[in-house]
Amino acid sequence: THYTVIEQGYTAPMSTRRIGILAAMPEELEQLKKVVTNQTSFPRGEAFTFTTGELHSKPVVFAAANVGMVFAGSAATTMIGEFGACAIIFTGVAGGLREGQQIGDVVVGQTVVNYEMDCRSFTYPWDPSYKLHLGE
């Protein structure tokens, strides 16, 4: 896999329409990173790094949106405005907690829960000294 880091402020060419892929946590993108080719990374501040590349010969852009609607909205807006995303898929573990569901199942929600939070003030009960970071 080819991987390049581009300095902040550079915008990817929008001549190609891409599929956007968002996840809340960076760990949820690890398997995707293994199969996307020709990766180029575009850091945006402290919160986001957008990566362009090809997935099965299709142009994509992916990023970890972090936790919350504001982060997800900002990441989606950036994917559309700067990277030419024509559709966005959100992937990850949220909502897939029913008995019988397996990794890789597609879950389509029937209802939406509105929440907004910054997880950095929480700690794990088994390790109160660990401080959560954006995206955890």
Side-chain angles (χ1 to χ4, degrees):
T1 302
H2 174 70
Y3 192 82
T4 306
V5 175
I6 303 297
E7 294 299 318
Q8 186 155 340
Y10 176 84
T11 301
M14 286 188 33
S15 58
T16 302
R17 301 300 286 169
R18 295 180 172 88
I19 302 296
I21 305 169
L22 281 175
M25 299 180 290
E27 295 82 1
E28 294 171 324
L29 295 172
E30 288 305 314
Q31 294 301 312
L32 183 64
K33 286 181 181 180
K34 293 178 184 178
V35 295
V36 171
T37 58
N38 301 317
Q39 293 183 28
T40 303
S41 175
F42 300 87
R44 292 293 182 268
E46 293 181 29
F48 302 120
T49 296
F50 295 90
T51 303
T52 59
E54 293 182 356
L55 179 62
H56 300 289
S57 301
K58 304 291 184 199
V60 296
V61 56
F62 62 90
N66 297 300
V67 175
M69 293 183 304
V70 172
F71 279 126
S74 295
T77 300
T78 302
M79 282 186 166
I80 294 164
E82 290 191 39
F83 298 97
C86 58
I88 297 177
I89 299 166
F90 201 93
T91 184
V93 299
L97 302 176
R98 280 202 168 151
E99 188 175 328
Q101 288 179 335
Q102 303 293 320
I103 293 173
D105 287 353
V106 174
V107 177
V108 178
Q110 294 178 331
T111 59
V112 176
V113 176
N114 184 359
Y115 73 93
E116 187 55 46
M117 61 183 243
D118 182 346
C119 64
R120 292 176 290 177
S121 62
F122 294 100
T123 59
Y124 292 124
W126 59 87
D127 187 3
S129 66
Y130 181 78
K131 299 296 180 196
L132 291 169
H133 300 89
L134 287 176
E136 293 184 297

